[in-house]
């Protein structure tokens, strides 16, 4: 695709737009607070597959339509009807979609513009960085419906905020505001509502200014390293460090530094 031409692709429940080297993925069900049902999960997967496979995309901004919710959680109407087998299959499908987002190889910024509950909080946690408006609310209220979290909440939340805080949120099913989410490390920044997307763009652009291969390997090293021991993570880091040392971008980056100029990375 030509990076000079904005691309808009509308799915039933998700809007995908590319402007320059940034892809914008918007959950587009504002009447139900962008709740996640099976078709929406499917559309979300499709949108992120587009972002992954488009070499011109350097980063993704994920948000929700309207001014009330990022993603308010699961579609309870659908959830109420599922059997045990369907629930397990649905959980695994949602987890696979969020693994795709987390392992995209490109930074994904969650621009949280309202409620991020249940699957919404889980979706935000799968993103590389989370920023939120002051009025945003976060929580894992699944136990109030007779269920544990099913989209990775029991795994990603303790890794982000620690076991004790995660246990309290998950077992109580309570909500926290943006200030508390920031205090415990669940989100990176609180920004004014009218600056939310602009700030996400600034973060993407600051990352996109760096060597693409180094960014991808750094993302992989952090994500994969968290799933292993520190010593194994260090071996992985050294391997990626060596691979990047053989790239043209490494030659360009070091040369630009020594010559006191801005580097021109080509992603190879």
């Amino acid at each position: 695709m030509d990076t000079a031409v904005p691309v808009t692709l509308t799915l039933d429940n998700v809007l995908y737009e590319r402007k320059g080297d940034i892809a914008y993925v918007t959950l587009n069900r504002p009447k139900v607070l962008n709740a996640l049902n099976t078709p929406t999960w499917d559309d979300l997967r499709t949108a992120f597959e587009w972002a992954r496979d488009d070499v011109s995309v350097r980063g993704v901004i994920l948000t929700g339509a309207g001014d009330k919710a990022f993603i308010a959680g699961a579609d309870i109407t659908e959830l109420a009807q599922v059997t045990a087998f369907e629930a397990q299959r649905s959980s695994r499908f949602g987890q696979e979609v969020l693994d795709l987002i987390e392992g995209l190889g490109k930074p994904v910024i969650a621009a949280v513009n309202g409620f991020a509950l249940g699957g919404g909080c889980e979706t935000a946690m799968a993103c590389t960085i989370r920023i939120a408006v002051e009025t945003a609310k976060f929580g894992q209220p699944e136990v109030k419906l007779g269920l544990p979290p099913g989209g990775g909440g029991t795994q990603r939340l303790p890794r982000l905020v620690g076991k004790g805080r995660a246990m309290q949120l998950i077992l109580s099913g309570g909500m926290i505001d943006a200030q508390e989410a920031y205090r415990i490390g669940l989100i990176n920044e609180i920004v004014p509502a009218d600056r939310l997307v602009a700030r996400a763009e600034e973060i993407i652009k600051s990352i996109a200014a760096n060597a693409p291969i180094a960014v991808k390997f750094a993302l992989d090293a952090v994500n994969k390293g968290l799933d292993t021991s520190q010593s194994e993570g260090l071996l992985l880091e050294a391997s990626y460090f060596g691979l990047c040392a053989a790239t043209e971008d490494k030659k360009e980056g070091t040369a630009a530094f020594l010559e006191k100029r801005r580097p021109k990375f080509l992603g190879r």
Side-chain angles (χ1 to χ4, degrees):
M1 296 186 214
D2 183 351
T3 59
V5 180
V7 174
T8 300
L9 301 164
T10 304
L11 300 163
D12 289 338
N13 304 292
V14 171
L15 177 64
Y16 177 95
E17 300 176 278
R18 178 173 58 75
K19 299 176 184 177
D21 55 6
I22 299 177
Y24 300 77
V25 178
T26 304
L27 274 292
N28 196 25
R29 303 183 74 209
K31 291 183 179 179
V32 290
L33 302 180
N34 304 315
L36 293 163
N37 58 10
T38 300
T40 305
W41 278 116
D42 198 42
D43 286 353
L44 199 59
R45 178 181 66 178
T46 298
F48 274 93
E49 286 173 343
W50 286 337
R52 178 196 62 196
D53 297 339
D54 187 343
V55 295
S56 65
V57 170
R58 298 292 303 277
V60 183
I61 296 172
L62 175 62
T63 194
D67 58 2
K68 294 182 179 179
F70 173 70
I71 302 168
D75 188 319
I76 307 303
T77 302
E78 179 183 84
L79 186 61
Q81 305 300 319
V82 298
T83 65
F85 174 76
E86 291 168 340
Q88 183 176 6
R89 183 174 61 184
S90 175
S91 174
R92 287 299 296 146
F93 181 61
Q95 290 171 357
E96 288 167 6
V97 175
L98 298 188
D99 284 347
L100 167 65
I101 293 173
E102 186 174 61
L104 200 69
K106 305 172 184 183
V108 181
I109 310 299
V112 181
N113 56 314
F115 290 109
L117 305 175
C121 188
E122 290 167 324
T123 301
M125 289 190 290
C127 296
T128 315
I129 294 168
R130 289 154 294 284
I131 64 175
V133 299
E134 184 73 41
T135 55
K137 304 286 185 183
F138 299 84
Q140 299 290 159
E142 290 90 345
V143 291
K144 295 179 180 292
L145 300 173
L147 295 162
T154 63
Q155 303 306 304
R156 287 191 175 92
L157 190 57
R159 286 169 167 80
L160 281 170
V161 306
K163 181 180 177 181
R165 291 189 177 108
M167 282 291 198
Q168 185 172 357
L169 277 169
I170 291 168
L171 300 182
S172 70
M175 286 193 299
I176 58 173
D177 61 18
Q179 288 290 346
E180 178 65 4
Y182 176 74
R183 187 187 73 82
I184 66 176
L186 180 55
I187 61 174
N188 297 72
E189 297 180 16
I190 300 172
V191 299
D194 61 357
R195 284 274 302 149
L196 184 65
V197 173
R199 178 56 185 147
E201 290 170 341
E202 290 171 358
I203 296 171
I204 291 287
K205 289 174 182 177
S206 70
I207 296 171
N210 301 314
I213 298 173
V215 168
K216 181 183 184 304
F217 281 152
L219 281 167
D220 286 350
V222 172
N223 287 332
K224 292 176 181 178
L226 285 171
D227 291 330
T228 186
S229 68
Q230 180 170 302
S231 60
E232 290 171 321
L234 290 170
L235 289 173
L236 180 65
E237 178 183 274
S239 175
Y240 285 156
F241 192 79
L243 288 170
C244 285
T247 64
E248 291 181 29
D249 279 352
K250 176 262 182 181
K251 294 178 183 177
E252 168 63 12
T254 53
F257 179 85
L258 294 172
E259 295 165 13
K260 298 181 180 180
R261 60 174 174 83
R262 185 170 296 178
K264 297 179 180 179
F265 295 118
L266 299 175
R268 59 176 185 255

